[in-house]
Amino acid sequence: MPFWSGIVLTVMAVILLLGSFKREEWQALPPFFPLADSWKRVLMAFLAMVAYLFLLESLGFTLVTFFFIAFLLKTIFPQKWKRTLIAASTTAILARLIFINFLETQLPLGFLGF
Amino acid sequence: MELLSHMALGAQVLFTPANFFFCFIGVLMGTLVGVLPGLGPTAAIALLLPSTFHIPPVTAIIMLAGIYYGAMYGGSTTSILVNIPGEAASVITCLDGYQMALKGRAGPALGIAAFGSFIAGTISIIGLMLVAPPLAKFALAFGPPEYFALMLLGMVVLIYLVAGSMLKALMIGVFGLLLTTIGMDSISGTQRLTFGILEFSDGVGLIPAIMGLFGVAEVIVNLEEGITRTVVTTRIRDFLPNLQDWKNSFWPILRGSVLGFFIGVLPGPAPVISAFSSSATEKKLSKYPERFGTGVIEGVAGPEAANNAATGGAFIPLFTLGIPCNSVIAVLLGAFMIYGIQPGPMMIAKYPELFWGTVMSMYLGNAMLLVLNLPLIGLWVQVLKVPYPLLFPIILLFCLVGVFSLNYSSVEVALMIGFGVFGYLARKFHYEMAPLVLALVLGPMMENNMRLSLVISQGDPMIFVTHPISAGLMAATFVLLISPCIPWIANRRKRLQKKVGE
């Protein structure tokens, strides 16, 4: 089954590719990103998630959540420092209370132990 | 009489404090995600799934089902007040609903949407009660070849129905099937395509895939352009539609309910399609079709009834055949399996309390939504005012934590991010995600049934066409697959899509 689905997929991809060569609307295609700085936001969001994944074990849930939210708030649609810090710390504390204390999810606590 | 005793059993299950409470939580959460643009019921159910592991399966299913139909209610609120459909199924409600709001008639629009949804929800639940048990008995005659043929047909129908290029939909479906072959082969026990990664021997997880495709990808697409929205600031009063409103809406609601229910049974994004078809029907039957889109109440009542009825209909294939027909039901199927319950023809007989409890909870849930939605509209409007820049990091956080807490596995979180990238790119290149999700859910079952059939027939593929039921299903599949090659049908499909697109 993997073999045959691979073959079928390849054949369809070739059809699609040939079809797009035949079309003559190259210029009509809209730009990939709707705004000039869109790519930065997309990249930052993905980077933040990857960083979250790598730092979760060592820093612990509460701390890494704080940094994650603060980073996103500050970089994607930049907020004022005061608002960023308040929102990030509220989210981190609430998330900790909900997930670890209320739902008893086994999330890593990190080297500081919280 | 039998039906009444079953309903009594369902009520007995439902009226325990815990089930009652979780039904309430479910519809509340559902309305919330329905109100929030950029977070749909699929992602919401996937998100809340891990938190249901330490409550009994019945309670969990009651809550998760509540999220599904609750989201349909919530979606209509945003369509009417902000002209932003919180849900794809409410796109059509924007047309007349928002116009009504602009004319100062937001109250009756919200009111008729809620009442229409309630009536439709009720009708579809009655349909579910009447249709599901006999259908389940019929499905007992199904063997592996019939199941394989049915699932194949289900996938092809979905691929046929999705908007845009059918070739792309077919590709994404086959890609999904390919992904499901990762992991241990269920018949011979060999590891396939795992590349030595231990976590992959169980296959690609459904939840990380759905969270990536629907949660993360959706947020990222929204990030490209900041979302700005303005809420209609007129005071909302007089939720009760007047007598003339009721007169105008009575038949649209009834027609929408029946239409929605039957479309719900079919594979595909049923709430969306049913809302569109209801709107088209009402326009055709109306004495003043030219006034549609300027704020007529029929344009709100019909589609809203239809999309709610469709949610009830969508449960039928799940409860009777164990086959999901859209991505929300697919996640629910995944949930059933995690709780160790195999939905299918035996389910109603084996777990009557689960089936009837869930059905009765939908009845109660609809009533709760009616009571909840009208007085709480002010609150939902406040929720809409939470700026997206503050909201999206929290959605992403929920995705990350939700997936991590499933198995405490970093590999699955990485997988989710990967699916997020894939889903984002697929959206940019106009690939539909629904066939991929259906393939991920059905793939393992399809492969198992296909190989069991081949074991029965000692390797002879003719088994799929010599059994009468499976032969009929296979023929239907074949016709759908080659139909785009026949110009007459292809043109009709295109015209239909154009109509829906408008």
Side-chain angles (χ1 to χ4, degrees), chain B residues 315-341:
Chain B
F315 279 95
I316 289 181
L318 176 70
F319 282 141
T320 55
L321 300 165
I323 295 177
C325 57
N326 62 44
S327 44
V328 180
I329 300 285
V331 184
L332 272 180
L333 177 71
F336 274 108
M337 289 182 162
I338 291 173
Y339 306 132
I341 296 162

Side-chain angles (χ1 to χ4, degrees), chain B residues 169-449:
Chain B
L170 204 56
M171 281 175 76
I172 214 97
V174 174
F175 179 66
L177 288 182
L178 191 63
L179 284 179
T180 62
T181 58
I182 294 175
M184 197 179 324
D185 177 343
S186 59
I187 294 193
S188 68
T190 15
Q191 299 278 343
R192 297 183 298 189
L193 307 168
T194 54
F195 300 102
I197 299 170
L198 194 65
E199 278 86 349
F200 281 173
S201 57
D202 273 346
V204 171
L206 182 67
I207 305 296
I210 284 171
M211 301 280 251
L213 294 171
F214 288 92
V216 175
E218 185 82 45
V219 170
I220 303 289
V221 169
N222 287 339
L223 285 188
E224 287 195 333
E225 349 182 11
I227 294 186
T228 46
R229 38 184 189 236
T230 43
V231 182
V232 171
T233 44
T234 52
R235 272 197 51 215
I236 305 158
R237 56 202 143 78
D238 305 331
F239 287 119
L240 293 180
N242 60 32
L243 200 66
Q244 187 57 42
D245 290 339
W246 274 113
K247 241 185 193 164
N248 290 343
S249 318
F250 179 75
W251 286 110
I253 288 177
L254 278 192
R255 279 192 291 263
S257 307
V258 176
L259 196 72
F261 178 74
F262 285 106
I263 292 176
V265 182
L266 300 174
V272 187
I273 297 176
S274 59
F276 278 105
S277 5
S278 159
S279 162
T281 316
E282 293 316 320
K283 222 170 171 177
K284 227 171 232 167
L285 293 174
S286 170
K287 279 180 222 138
Y288 38 85
E290 71 287 347
R291 273 165 55 193
F292 271 73
T294 63
V296 288
I297 202 155
E298 294 94 317
V300 178
E304 278 303 312
N307 72 29
N308 272 272
T311 56
F315 279 95
I316 289 181
L318 176 70
F319 282 141
T320 55
L321 300 165
I323 295 177
C325 57
N326 62 44
S327 44
V328 180
I329 300 285
V331 184
L332 272 180
L333 177 71
F336 274 108
M337 289 182 162
I338 291 173
Y339 306 132
I341 296 162
Q342 173 71 50
M346 296 302 290
M347 199 195 96
I348 301 179
K350 240 166 126 184
Y351 307 98
E353 74 289 346
L354 183 78
F355 175 76
W356 294 103
T358 310
V359 170
M360 290 306 285
S361 83
M362 290 162 84
Y363 204 86
L364 178 76
N366 270 297
M368 278 182 183
L369 280 167
L370 190 64
V371 178
L372 193 77
N373 245 13
L374 295 182
L376 286 188
I377 278 172
L379 177 74
W380 302 134
V381 172
Q382 290 306 313
V383 168
L384 272 175
K385 285 182 181 159
V386 175
Y388 197 68
L390 290 184
L391 197 63
F392 85 88
I394 299 176
I395 300 178
L396 285 184
L397 178 71
F398 267 95
C399 291
L400 288 165
V401 178
V403 169
F404 185 82
S405 59
L406 269 181
N407 294 317
Y408 307 111
S409 142
S410 315
V411 176
E412 293 205 323
V413 181
L415 198 64
M416 179 196 75
I417 300 174
F419 270 107
V421 177
F422 179 81
Y424 167 69
L425 292 175
R427 246 162 244 240
K428 296 294 273 184
F429 293 111
H430 307 288
Y431 284 85
E432 283 289 326
M433 284 301 106
L436 178 60
V437 175
L438 195 60
L440 283 177
V441 177
L442 290 184
M445 285 191 261
M446 260 171 96
E447 191 186 2
N448 257 339
N449 280 300

Side-chain angles (χ1 to χ4, degrees), chain A residues 26-65:
Chain A
W26 285 101
Q27 280 78 19
L29 286 177
F32 187 75
F33 291 113
L35 301 173
D37 61 342
S38 293
W39 67 272
K40 271 189 220 156
R41 281 183 242 160
V42 171
L43 189 70
M44 287 299 175
F46 278 121
L47 279 183
M49 282 191 284
V50 173
Y52 190 93
L53 176 59
F54 280 105
L55 295 176
L56 185 60
E57 296 280 341
S58 53
L59 283 185
F61 174 70
T62 320
L63 214 53
V64 83
T65 299

